[in-house]
Structure formats: C-alpha cells, structure tokens
Amino acid sequence: MIRIKCKEDCVGCGACYDICPKSAIFFVTDEEGFWYPKIDANKCVDCGLCDKVCPVINSEELNETNIDQPIVLSAYNSNPEVRFISTTGGIYSALAEKMLEQGGYIGGAVWTDDFQAKHIVSNKREDLIRLRGSKYFQSDSTGLYKQIKGLLIKGEKILVCGCPCQMAALRAFLQKGYENLIIVDFICCSINSPKVFKEYIKSLETEYGSKVIDYHPKNKEYGGWHNFAFKAIFADGQIYVKRRTEDDFTHCFIGSHVAARPSCFECHYKSVPRVADITIADFWGIEKVNSEMDSPYGTSAVLLNNEKGRHFFNLLGDKVVTNNQTIEEVKAGNANLFKSIHELNLDRDKFYYLLNTNGFEAAMKYSRSFDSKPSTLERIKCLIKKVLQK
C-alpha cells in the first residue's frame, strides 16, 4: 500500500491510480493545487502494485534503464513555420510526424477547455497541433498508462512525451520494454501548480475584462526564441504580451520557484543516462558553442539515450538540421540536467495563503518582494521552517 509520508515523496504521476485493480486509489488536491493519492481502505487488498509503479520508490532501478552515454546533438526542425510555432526547435513535431507516417500513435500534454493540461494518446494528425508546445505546469496523466499498455499489447506503435518522472512511471507501469514504443522526455526545471496557472489566467481576465481564448507560452513573435514572450489573446481581441519573468506566471516558475511541486526540490531524475529513449530541451547557450546552429526560432538539445532512440531519430532525415555537441555544452545552459531547483527564500505557506484568500495579484506582490535579497530575519525564519518540516 502506497503511503505518502511527506509531499516530496510524490510526483503526482497517477501511475498508482492506473495500476490499482480495485479502484482503491483516489486523489485529493491540496491548498497549492497539487494532487496526492489516498487509499480507500475498504477496497484495498494490499497487493503492492502501487508501490511497484511508483517512480520515487523505484528511481534507483529506473535510472539504470539506459547504461550507455547518450549521443548529444544540437538540432531544429527544417520547416521554419513549425519551428516558429513550437516551444523550442520543433523536434517533438518532427518525431511525432514520423510516428504518424508509420501509422502509429503520438502522446503528450494538451490544453483542456479551461486551460488546464491533460495527457492524451492519439493517431489523428490534427491532434499534433494540440500536442505541440510546452504547458509549463502539471498535467493530469491518469489513464495514460493503461491506454498505452493496451495499445502496445495490440501491436500498435506509440511515441509519447512527458516529464522525466512521468516517463519513469510509464516504464515502471509496463514492467518490460516494448520495441514499438518510443519514450521522449525533456530536461525539466520543475512541474508547476495548475492552481497557480488557473489563478493567473483568472487575474488576466479580470485585468482585461475579457475571457482568454488562446494562450501561447514562449511565443517567438516578440523578440524570437532568445527573448521569448508569453502571449494571451482575449475574446474581444485584446492581446497580452510580456517577456520572460516580466510575466507573473513565469516569475513563479523560473524566478521564485514558488509554483514548483515539492518533489521537484528533491528530484530523482536529474541524471545521465536518462530514463527515456530520447531527451529534448532548449539548447540555451548554443550561440556560444556553435553559432551556425543558433536559430532565432529555436534550437533544441537532443540526447539519444539508446540504440532504439538513435535509430528512430535517424529516420527523420532531412526533416531536421543537426550537429554533434557534447553533454558539457548542454549542461552549461541547462543546469537542471543534473541538479534540482534550489530551495525558496520566501515563505511558501504565506504565498499560497495569499493566493487562496486575496488572489493572484496579492500573492505575486509578495513573491516579487523577494526579487531583492531577502532580509536575514526572513532567511532565518525560512531555515527554521525547513528544519521543522524534515
């Protein structure tokens, strides 16, 4: 029976929900907007399957999935239109298009009607548009694992992309390798609170007096990939655009880290070799090591982690432009390849109290007060709190 003693021990992947033969597991969402599994003791037969699929409990074994050092590339989609509308270099799109050409299925996170995120699997080309691009907060992946296993057993080919912990959970759920499955992950900073994002959208709608009908993170219309912007379009035609951490949600994400799930501060998947067959990421700093591969529309780092990943990527041919790089060159601009995000200086409980009582703007005002160096008193208070929580 899975027991979550502290929040750092659960990544919210949902694999335990999918594996339970008695439907004894349900989820409770906390005050931060993250879901955690609970057990219905009246249904549980203590079979232990939930423990077997947990990517935290089994991280040591799962991190040994690939034993070879990866082949490392800089790469981008040779179609500039695809690259422009993608989050980075359009590599997921190239991989997904190849899988669809082979009659297979593609999987990943899509926007829901209320601007939350849900993992799906589809063999429809039109769904690639929905799957393209990062969502930057935690997706609901319940049901994904059962669906993928069912398709694999039928002999279908699948390419699926998700956070490293989600893809580790998939491997644990399947319990064995499948030649007809390509697993793609990405270099992850953290998975962020769906509640924070929902309140962020609500605050934009209040400020602009209109409903958000489209949202595009890391938009390249306003300064390209290096100076990415976050863009929202409203029902009345108004447009919101802010670059990088000028945008409030992005500040919560890569500024203060206050939106990150607690498990992200002690991530079990900051390592090489990776759990996935293929790893993709922004190749931050490519202009310093290979200026010819520096595209204003985005350049990706690609890690081909095993022979299956290398073979499938090579099938892309002229759909991608590539060049050999080193893992050290990727690491220079992607510290989260090997280490978790740093601990917070601000009082996390206070941020979420303000979010839940006074709204997003009040919480952000508090968060941005820590853009300057926190006082010695604040640092001591936060340190004491962390010690007491251990």
Side-chain angles (χ1 to χ4, degrees):
M1 182 188 299
I2 201 161
R3 294 177 177 86
I4 308 301
K5 295 181 180 179
C6 61
K7 291 181 176 180
E8 288 81 3
D9 293 336
C10 177
V11 299
C13 65
C16 56
Y17 176 90
D18 273 24
I19 201 69
C20 183
K22 298 297 181 179
S23 299
I25 295 177
F26 60 100
F27 288 94
V28 174
T29 301
D30 71 357
E31 67 282 353
E32 297 182 351
F34 294 110
W35 44 81
Y36 294 87
K38 297 292 183 182
I39 307 296
D40 184 339
N42 293 321
K43 294 181 179 179
C44 179
V45 294
D46 206 18
C47 64
L49 289 176
C50 51
D51 288 332
K52 290 181 179 179
V53 302
C54 176
V56 174
I57 293 173
N58 301 288
S59 61
E60 185 174 349
E61 177 185 350
L62 290 165
N63 275 316
E64 295 177 353
T65 299
N66 298 308
I67 59 174
D68 296 332
Q69 289 298 306
I71 291 176
V72 182
L73 305 170
S74 55
Y76 54 77
N77 196 303
S78 57
N79 184 332
E81 293 182 3
V82 171
R83 198 158 75 251
F84 182 74
I85 60 177
S86 299
T87 300
T88 307
I91 297 303
Y92 173 79
S93 291
L95 293 167
E97 286 173 356
K98 177 56 64 175
M99 181 55 73
L100 290 170
E101 287 175 9
Q102 295 184 351
Y105 287 73
I106 56 175
V110 300
W111 294 105
T112 63
D113 291 340
D114 60 347
F115 288 104
Q116 293 294 279
K118 171 71 178 173
H119 256 72
I120 68 164
V121 177
S122 173
N123 61 354
K124 298 177 181 178
R125 183 167 293 276
E126 58 266 30
D127 280 333
L128 176 54
I129 298 172
R130 301 173 63 208
L131 288 161
R132 181 182 289 134
S134 300
K135 308 306 184 285
Y136 290 114
F137 57 91
Q138 184 148 39
S139 65
D140 176 4
S141 50
T142 55
L144 175 75
Y145 310 98
K146 290 170 76 171
Q147 185 181 7
I148 287 177
K149 186 171 184 177
L151 289 168
L152 291 172
I153 290 172
K154 292 179 181 178
E156 300 288 357
K157 294 181 179 181
I158 306 172
L159 180 140
V160 61
C161 181
C163 294
C165 54
Q166 291 173 321
M167 297 300 93
L170 176 59
R171 286 210 185 275
F173 186 93
L174 295 175
Q175 292 292 300
K176 69 173 187 177
Y178 286 84
E179 282 304 311
N180 48 330
L181 172 67
I182 300 292
I183 295 179
V184 182
D185 72 356
F186 48 84
I187 298 175
C188 181
C189 173
S190 60
I191 47 176
N192 301 291
S193 167
K195 173 181 272 188
V196 172
F197 186 80
K198 186 175 183 178
E199 292 301 313
Y200 159 72
I201 292 292
K202 188 188 297 184
S203 75
L204 289 179
E205 292 179 337
T206 299
E207 179 182 352
Y208 283 76
S210 183
K211 185 175 178 59
V212 174
I213 59 171
D214 192 23
Y215 184 78
H216 193 178
K218 280 179 71 174
N219 186 282
K220 300 169 186 175
E221 297 174 62
Y222 306 90
W225 170 58
H226 290 283
N227 297 295
F228 59 83
F230 288 75
K231 177 181 180 181
I233 301 175
F234 297 87
D236 63 1
Q238 293 183 84
I239 294 176
Y240 161 90
V241 175
K242 284 192 179 178
R243 292 184 177 88
R244 292 180 171 265
T245 54
E246 293 175 358
D247 172 74
D248 283 340
F249 179 71
T250 311
H251 183 273
C252 292
F253 173 26
I254 60 176
S256 68
H257 298 312
V258 72
R261 191 178 177 100
S263 59
C264 296
F265 295 96
E266 298 180 14
C267 179
H268 290 242
Y269 293 96
K270 302 295 187 184
S271 61
V272 172
R274 309 284 293 179
V275 172
D277 303 307
I278 300 172
T279 298
I280 55 180
D282 290 276
F283 206 131
W284 298 123
I286 186 63
E287 70 281 1
K288 299 176 183 177
V289 297
N290 190 340
S291 59
E292 293 183 0
M293 287 297 295
D294 181 19
S295 165
Y297 290 173
T299 303
S300 297
V302 178
L303 278 59
L304 305 177
N305 299 312
N306 54 34
E307 183 56 38
K308 183 165 65 169
R310 291 190 282 273
H311 173 74
F312 190 82
F313 189 85
N314 288 337
L315 296 177
L316 302 184
D318 61 4
K319 290 181 181 292
V320 293
V321 177
T322 66
N323 195 80
N324 291 326
Q325 308 292 159
T326 69
I327 199 70
E328 289 301 318
E329 289 169 338
V330 174
K331 177 184 175 182
N334 286 280
N336 294 122
L337 177 59
F338 287 103
K339 66 180 183 180
S340 298
I341 53 175
H342 59 75
E343 292 287 344
L344 303 175
N345 285 322
L346 59 80
D347 185 330
R348 186 182 178 106
D349 287 345
K350 183 173 181 179
F351 174 89
Y352 282 97
Y353 172 80
L354 289 169
L355 179 74
N356 292 322
T357 57
N358 293 27
F360 185 76
E361 290 183 4
M364 277 308 305
K365 183 178 180 180
Y366 170 69
S367 177
R368 286 194 180 276
S369 70
F370 283 79
D371 284 348
S372 57
K373 188 175 180 180
S375 68
T376 301
L377 178 60
E378 287 287 356
R379 290 201 301 271
I380 292 172
K381 286 169 61 179
C382 289
L383 179 61
I384 292 172
K385 185 173 182 179
K386 289 171 191 172
V387 171
L388 294 175
Q389 289 175 338
K390 294 295 184 183

